[in-house]
Amino acid sequence: MGEKNEAILPPKEFMRRMPWIRSVDEYERLYRESIKNPEKFWGKQAEALDWFKKWDKVLDETNPPFYKWFVNGELNICHNCVDRWAEIQPEKLAIIWQGEPDEDVRTFTYDGLKQQVNRFAHTLKRFGVEKGDRVALYLPMIPELPIAMLACAKIGAIHTVIVGGISAEAVKIRIQDAEAKMLVTANGYYRAGKIKDSLEIAKEAIKDCHSVETVIVVKRIDKETHLPCCAECQKPVYSWWEQEMEFYDYDFPVECAPERMSADDISFLLYTSGSTGKPKGVVHTTGGYLVYVNTTMWYIFDIRDNDVFWCTADIGWITGHSYVVYGPLSCGATVFMYEGVPTYPEPDRYWELIEKYKISIFYTAPTVIRDLIQQGTEWTQKRDLSCLRLLGSVGEPIDSKSWLWYFENVGKKRCSLVDTYWQTETGGILLTTLPGVHSMKPGSTGFPFFGVVPEIIKHKESDEECNEPDLRRSQCSVGEMGKLMFSRPWPGMLKGLWKDPERFSKTYWHKFEKYLSGDGAVEDEDGYFWVTGRIDDLINVSGHLLSTAETEGALISHQYVTEAAVVGKPHKIKGNELYAFVVLGKEVDMDKEFQIVLVKHVREKLGPIYTIREIKFTEKLPKTKSGKIMRRVLRKIAAGEKNITELGDLSTLADESAIQNLLKE
Ligand code: PRX
């Protein structure tokens, strides 16, 4: 916890759009109502959407943790995000896209977006994609990505967006697990002045993906690209996006009726790291998810007609799904999308874009803020940022120093700053302050959103080493760090793990009906929540969750590695970086050169986001008597701890020499 008592009042200039929630009292009244009668509260929020058929019941809790929202209701996500706005405000800009090269700008009105979506929806159908089929989208930050997502939503196909920066092997695992019928990719994209390839990775990935019948390739880069033809490979069939979109004459509008989806139908899968090796296919549905992201947009981002909303997250992550695509478009807002990185060609690229496109709401991650602080405050001063009215942060804990820098130099102390806590699994924001309503404490994620009931349960550091930690332990007192859980269902929550209901129940709900977040948190005396970070086997590097198990698996797959343990080491800009303890077969030299070999090996297996920054060779790993690696001890050693008495409870340690050796080196 930072300077927890220093609350900053909401800036006076901030006027909320919603008159019924202008004060803390109003928030508390509505919050109480949302908990006392969630069905009434969420039923009312759901009315902001168009339904083909109204639900019979808002929440069915008869089979926890398989909660059902808006039972028997029918709607279509694409209709709610595009078609209905194309009727009401056809000329309003839905998406403004800036490519990395300055001259690459494309804009889409709501009507224009609808045309593109309908064309791609027909393309999907022409290639035999039907309701319930999976479509893998391995695309960079270009407009074709939201267009393809919305087209899937229109016909009821399930999309799974695969983020860049992972290896062909990791892409393959995701496509195979989802059994995708189609893959959409691009022939490249721009990143920090370089052209990156995605097609080669895609081709490599699908060699063993027999479910893929078609590959559609967007010609993002003007370069000669050879698409394999059917004669060469039989299956899949490759085709250009641009060619398929021209199937219908551009002089005529193309219609495509939205599929009637049950509220409970799956809308998308998104893979996230798991505590065991295999990534988890998080399942989101249609009704509950859209109601939740839509409601959070209205209340937390206070979205208005003339806003230009910029969430900098890649759409391959949940933040991009919920707050680049579905949240803002479901409110009929104008979304800004950028292909490039924050510091290219100059360190003020983001500030330049805010000025140029008059961005009013800017939502980014602490790792970006820390990076931009390093570039120098003078870059923010060169640009006119007076168009901003609201700032947001997401993805990891933000330290109070970075928070204040963001608030003072970007928001000029005029803008409210919301620090929003949530996860891939939660669909939308769970903890936050409301802008213009709550005082802000730098580094705190504020209060529960409506319908959300957080609980902090006592945590013992050594819990991670027992198979069944006692989760019925009592609640923490004020100021005491514990495990963050959520004791009531909310509409945006994941509805399962793809093809793995058992893992879903085991990972998130344990033996009883509370959602386990995997994070630690503290509640202070004013009721503010402070999220301290992961307390399970996941490591947050630059806002991306990486799995220790997957990284260890990749290390061990090297013929000379016999054992490995990976932990997070605190890092000034990235939050954490990967630090590995490795036990080698006797015959290998434990030298620098071999460290480089191992780093490269893991990058090749899992992709560049899994770059290990430090490797320590050791002869033994510290383990409990039951054989579990004591990662909490290794975390302290990686952070530089040299004193054995500072390593916590060592009573279960099997062999003390394992630690003494590590401390000596
Ligand atoms: O550890 C928490 C951290 O990010 C994790 C979720 O990561 P992911 O599923 O990739 O989704 C990221 C974006 C929603 C959480 O378990 N996290 C997210 N937001 C915050 C945060 N930690 C502290 N403060 C936040 N605002």
Side-chain angles (χ1 to χ4, degrees), residues 83 146 153 157 160 174 229 468 497 505 646:
D83 300 20
T160 181
R174 285 156 176 76
C229 65
E468 298 258 300
L497 290 179
S505 306
E646 296 298 318

Side-chain angles (χ1 to χ4, degrees), residues 272 318-319 393-397 419-425 445 517 519 531 533-534 540 543 545:
T272 181
I318 189 70
T319 314
S393 173
V394 61
E396 48 182 319
D419 178 2
T420 62
Y421 166 84
W422 59 294
Q423 306 177 309
T424 305
E425 294 86 341
T445 53
S517 70
D519 284 302
V531 176
R534 301 295 304 191
N540 197 325
L545 281 191

Side-chain angles (χ1 to χ4, degrees), residues 88-139:
I88 303 168
Q89 44 180 35
E91 295 310 318
K92 179 168 174 177
L93 284 180
I95 298 177
I96 305 172
W97 177 77
Q98 170 73 64
E100 186 175 278
D102 221 25
E103 61 283 6
D104 284 3
V105 177
R106 289 160 73 193
T107 56
F108 299 81
T109 61
Y110 270 94
D111 188 53
L113 181 62
K114 181 179 159 194
Q115 281 307 310
Q116 294 290 321
V117 169
N118 285 355
R119 277 168 192 274
F120 196 65
H122 281 294
T123 305
L124 290 169
K125 288 185 182 182
R126 270 201 308 283
F127 284 100
V129 176
E130 293 175 1
K131 180 176 172 182
D133 286 342
R134 274 79 59 209
V135 176
L137 307 176
Y138 181 56
L139 282 165

Side-chain angles (χ1 to χ4, degrees), residues 227-263:
L227 294 190
C229 65
C230 304
E232 277 173 45
C233 58
Q234 303 291 320
K235 215 178 98 176
V237 171
Y238 280 75
S239 184
W240 288 109
W241 170 286
E242 292 73 12
Q243 195 178 314
E244 294 305 331
M245 294 294 267
E246 279 170 12
F247 187 83
Y248 297 101
D249 194 333
Y250 261 104
D251 289 338
F252 300 100
V254 173
E255 290 307 321
C256 177
E259 187 75 30
R260 284 173 81 104
M261 302 291 286
S262 145

Side-chain angles (χ1 to χ4, degrees), residues 513-534:
E513 295 145 27
K514 280 181 194 178
Y515 173 84
L516 315 179
S517 70
D519 284 302
V522 185
E523 185 181 348
D524 75 14
E525 62 276 17
D526 301 322
Y528 284 73
F529 282 82
W530 300 73
V531 176
T532 54
R534 301 295 304 191

Side-chain angles (χ1 to χ4, degrees), residues 16-67:
R16 287 189 67 83
R17 177 179 182 274
M18 298 197 190
W20 62 87
I21 177 137
R22 279 208 184 137
S23 65
V24 174
D25 285 351
E26 284 303 310
Y27 158 78
E28 279 174 0
R29 186 188 57 74
L30 201 55
Y31 178 73
R32 274 197 303 275
E33 268 179 43
S34 74
I35 303 304
K36 219 167 81 198
N37 195 344
E39 296 211 36
K40 183 170 165 220
F41 177 83
W42 289 112
K44 192 157 179 340
Q45 305 309 315
E47 284 169 11
L49 301 181
D50 269 4
W51 294 79
F52 299 135
K53 178 171 170 280
K54 199 176 167 181
W55 54 91
D56 296 332
K57 185 161 176 45
V58 171
L59 172 62
D60 173 0
E61 296 191 69
T62 50
N63 184 24
F66 300 91
Y67 299 98

